[in-house]
Amino acid sequence: MNAQTQFSGGFQNAPVEAAVAFRAAMTVMARPGVIRPLIGAQPPAPLSIAAGTLLLTLCDPDTNVHLAEGADTEAVRQWLTFHTGAPITAAAEADFAIGSWQALGPLDDYRIGTAEYPDRSATLIVECDALHPSGVELSGPGIRDTAFLSLPDVPAFQANAALYPLGCDFFFTCGDKVAALPRSTQVRTGG
Amino acid sequence: MNEYNFAYLDEQTKRMIRRAILKGLAVPGYQVPFASREMPMPYGWGTGGVQVSAATLTPGDTLKVIDQGADDTTNAVSIRKFFENTAGVETTEETEKATVIQTRHRIPEAKLRDDQIIVYQVPIPEPLRFLEPRETETRKMHSLEEYGLMHVKLYEDISRHGAISTAYAYPVKVSGRYVMDPSPIPKFDNPKLEMDAIQLFGAGREQRIYAVPPHTKVVSLDFEDYPFEATKANHPCDLCGANDSYLDEVIMDDAGNRMFVCSDTDFCRSRRAAGYQGRMAREEMQ
């Protein structure tokens, strides 16, 4: 790993780029199924631009980050540590976790919050090969009637939604695109 | 530019607030604790709303700030100035043109769009606080979905006054789970809580953030035989003649004369600009 990669690829103008990135992240979390562009960071491979931007926008020394297999490379560790200072931890202590859907699972490892503090749960950033507004049918808060999103799984998200108000929340990233699935969303196949 | 970081707060504070907003959106109506900062204005002036707005604003936004519906009161003017100075964003008084609206105690009359965000200033975020002063207990009540006490309170209203007399900060149930204080908006505004825009609530002194995503079911608590009623003064606006807007009662003199005017100043202004006239419109113009 050379210093060039480790130190570069951050925000050029952090306050403004983070604000614009957060608006995209908030919009997709408030409207499950909506896909938005998310740019700003140039993370080392294999992280996507959208995933790297999410990490820079939301992570700092106060948040534990879990790198799932595949995403857990020396280059990613150094880049994340330099730019955010976030401690890298096991899945069970993570506030944020990043990796492909296969590498992140099973969901049982992650914090789902407590009955009195459901917010103390993990947010998973799932790197996807494709992201498009079709496939699984979504309904719930943030969705007028129904929405559709290409999800990597169905039973796992149904089980997660059944824990409501506990559970994990998910961002899906693909290249420079992001979508989200909060625990409040009901997931149904056959859309 | 200026000597402030964009939107006043430092980046780590904004990240902390942003994480709280995301969890708030994921669990609609649940109050997320956050490390509220001291702001350069006193508690009660919207420090919670200001922090949420600061974490939400982007340079391309147009900000509107209202205080009890009005754009021209001290609180609204000073918060608008604050963000003009620290974020360099455009500001407006027109609901139509705003992308972010910070509000104290009203929802604009105009229907909000899905590209707008409304930020509420909240004094007491806990709807059960006046019934149960202990935070440890109210937290437990929320976790157990134990909201009987709130219905007892509304029932006592009926037994004492013959109707549910709660007129503002009327409790709602969000997405069938959490009972939430919609901030001290008049209950006239409660039906508008199901809207296309993202709703964020910030309580600075009490250090809580909560949210209602668009199209989320928000039900005002009531009883089958005493259904919820969105009430307003039974008058048209004396300036613009509107029959469907929330009204302020203004005492005119010592002889008991009074007038009713729209509390939403932008709504009233735009109606008058379109030629609508109320009972006292002519006098006001002279």
Side-chain angles (χ1 to χ4, degrees):
Chain A
M1 154 120 222
N2 61 37
Q4 188 67 31
T5 344
Q6 179 186 348
F7 301 134
S8 68
F11 287 138
Q12 304 298 310
N13 180 359
V16 169
E17 285 179 275
V20 173
F22 173 69
R23 177 65 61 84
M26 178 173 82
T27 303
V28 296
M29 190 58 87
R31 301 172 191 279
V34 167
I35 298 172
R36 281 289 157 98
L38 183 62
I39 52 165
Q42 294 286 342
L47 298 188
S48 65
I49 291 175
T53 307
L54 267 182
L55 290 172
L56 293 195
T57 306
L58 298 173
C59 298
D60 56 32
D62 292 339
T63 59
N64 293 340
V65 176
H66 172 65
L67 299 172
E69 215 179 307
D72 191 7
T73 67
E74 195 53 32
V76 170
R77 279 176 174 258
Q78 291 190 9
W79 183 81
L80 190 66
T81 305
F82 176 75
H83 287 283
T84 69
I88 294 168
T89 62
E93 287 101 52
D95 296 302
F96 290 90
I98 185 159
S100 69
W101 179 246
Q102 286 73 21
L104 282 168
L107 288 185
D108 312 347
D109 293 352
Y110 297 95
R111 297 192 304 154
I112 56 168
T114 65
E116 293 181 11
Y117 294 94
D119 56 304
R120 295 178 182 175
S121 63
T123 303
L124 275 60
I125 301 171
V126 185
E127 295 267 38
C128 302
D129 295 329
L131 195 57
H132 43 87
S134 62
V136 183
E137 185 182 296
L138 313 178
S139 60
I143 303 167
R144 191 189 290 275
D145 298 311
T146 54
F148 295 90
L149 190 64
S150 53
L151 294 181
D153 199 335
V154 170
F157 295 119
Q158 286 173 331
N160 185 63
L163 297 171
Y164 189 84
L166 306 187
C168 300
D169 305 305
F170 305 87
F171 282 108
F172 302 100
T173 52
C174 175
D176 60 356
K177 296 277 191 296
V178 66
L181 186 78
R183 65 193 85 171
S184 57
T185 303
Q186 296 298 317
V187 178
R188 216 158 59 90
T189 45
Chain B
M1 214 29 212
N2 52 57
E3 59 272 44
Y4 292 102
N5 188 33
F6 175 71
Y8 185 76
L9 294 172
D10 61 281
E11 289 307 297
Q12 190 159 354
T13 299
K14 281 194 263 180
R15 278 192 294 269
M16 174 268 297
I17 295 170
R18 286 166 178 162
R19 291 193 295 262
I21 291 173
L22 291 178
K23 287 298 174 194
L25 285 165
V27 191
Y30 164 73
Q31 302 162 48
V32 185
F34 81 111
S36 176
R37 300 295 194 246
E38 292 238 4
M39 297 302 283
M41 61 193 74
Y43 288 130
W45 282 66
T47 54
V50 165
Q51 290 178 81
V52 170
S53 293
T56 305
L57 280 173
T58 66
D61 277 317
T62 304
L63 178 71
K64 171 185 164 85
V65 185
I66 49 176
D67 172 7
Q68 305 256 11
D71 292 272
D72 52 4
T73 57
T74 316
N75 198 185
V77 171
S78 56
I79 291 174
R80 213 157 52 223
K81 276 252 152 61
F82 175 78
F83 282 116
E84 282 173 8
N85 289 337
T86 61
V89 293
E90 293 283 312
T91 56
T92 182
E93 295 193 1
E94 292 174 50
T95 307
E96 278 279 288
K97 291 185 179 160
T99 53
V100 177
I101 301 171
Q102 181 172 331
T103 178
R104 174 176 176 271
H105 305 186
R106 262 327 295 284
I107 298 175
E109 303 291 351
K111 192 172 183 291
L112 297 186
R113 300 185 309 266
D114 59 6
D115 61 336
Q116 294 178 311
I117 296 166
I118 182 164
V119 178
Y120 297 79
Q121 302 172 195
V122 183
I124 309 282
E126 178 50 72
L128 305 166
R129 182 60 69 232
F130 291 111
L131 307 171
E132 169 54 64
R134 289 167 297 181
E135 169 69 11
T136 47
E137 289 302 306
T138 52
R139 205 152 263 285
K140 202 165 283 169
M141 290 158 79
H142 281 294
S143 75
L144 297 172
E145 220 175 332
E146 175 51 72
Y147 296 125
L149 204 53
M150 185 58 90
H151 277 102
V152 171
K153 194 255 174 199
L154 296 176
Y155 170 76
E156 283 180 352
D157 263 12
I158 295 169
S159 62
R160 198 172 304 160
H161 307 288
I164 297 176
S165 62
T166 304
Y168 64 96
Y170 192 102
V172 295
K173 195 166 207 178
V174 181
S175 194
R177 178 58 179 84
Y178 284 97
V179 165
M180 181 188 94
D181 181 346
S183 87
I185 57 172
K187 67 176 169 184
F188 174 80
D189 283 343
N190 271 28
K192 296 188 222 161
L193 287 162
E194 285 182 8
M195 62 163 77
D196 294 349
I198 297 174
Q199 303 176 74
L200 306 174
F201 298 78
R205 180 185 46 214
E206 304 289 323
Q207 314 198 315
R208 294 292 184 275
I209 285 172
Y210 50 106
V212 177
H215 320 299
T216 300
K217 203 167 171 217
V218 180
V219 179
S220 303
L221 299 183
D222 61 358
F223 299 98
E224 271 173 30
D225 48 347
Y226 285 88
F228 170 79
E229 217 182 332
T231 53
K232 66 182 274 279
N234 190 20
H235 285 268
C237 170
D238 283 332
L239 292 182
C240 76
N243 274 309
D244 53 354
S245 69
Y246 191 72
L247 301 172
D248 287 338
E249 182 178 359
V250 183
I251 307 294
M252 304 294 285
D253 52 30
D254 289 344
N257 283 315
R258 57 201 180 147
M259 71 185 291
F260 290 89
V261 290
C262 293
S263 111
D264 185 335
T265 52
D266 175 58
F267 176 78
C268 198
R269 183 199 51 72
S270 62
R271 272 181 58 89
R272 275 177 286 152
Y276 291 99
Q277 287 197 345
R279 185 173 63 92
M280 296 164 85
R282 194 148 300 176
E283 296 169 35
E284 187 234 13
M285 278 170 190
Q286 280 160 2

